[in-house]
Amino acid sequence: MQIGDTAKQAGISRQSLQYYLMLGLMEPTEVTSTGRRMFDGKAVERAKLIKKLNESGYPLRAIRELFLEGRF
């Protein structure tokens, strides 16, 4: 699915998802030949987890570090 649909299913804004991508919190599942970023259900779940952690008080940089360390 495209970025807008992914964001909608995750309950975040398109801009938030784009910010997550920019910070390296997420990556597209696929990039089409025309450059469209596509996402799957796992990406939706990851975006939901990022949102939940951030709302719990974790800064996005700390969440990124947790992902890099393999804790999630």
Side-chain angles (χ1 to χ4, degrees):
M1 69 192 93
Q2 294 181 20
I3 195 166
D5 295 330
T6 304
K8 188 174 187 178
Q9 285 192 18
I12 61 174
S13 69
R14 181 184 178 127
Q15 292 81 5
S16 291
L17 183 52
Q18 289 172 331
Y19 190 58
Y20 295 171
L21 290 165
M22 186 182 77
L23 291 178
L25 290 165
M26 296 186 61
E27 292 184 9
T29 307
E30 174 188 351
V31 179
T32 66
S33 60
T34 58
R36 285 191 181 263
R37 296 172 290 187
M38 304 298 284
F39 301 89
D40 61 9
K42 286 184 180 182
V44 171
E45 293 306 313
R46 185 171 178 118
K48 286 180 179 179
L49 176 60
I50 294 167
K51 177 184 176 189
K52 186 176 182 179
L53 289 170
N54 190 237
E55 288 175 343
S56 297
Y58 283 93
L60 292 176
R61 287 181 185 224
I63 296 168
R64 182 175 183 269
E65 292 300 318
L66 290 173
F67 287 154
L68 289 174
E69 293 172 4
R71 294 190 185 183
F72 286 98

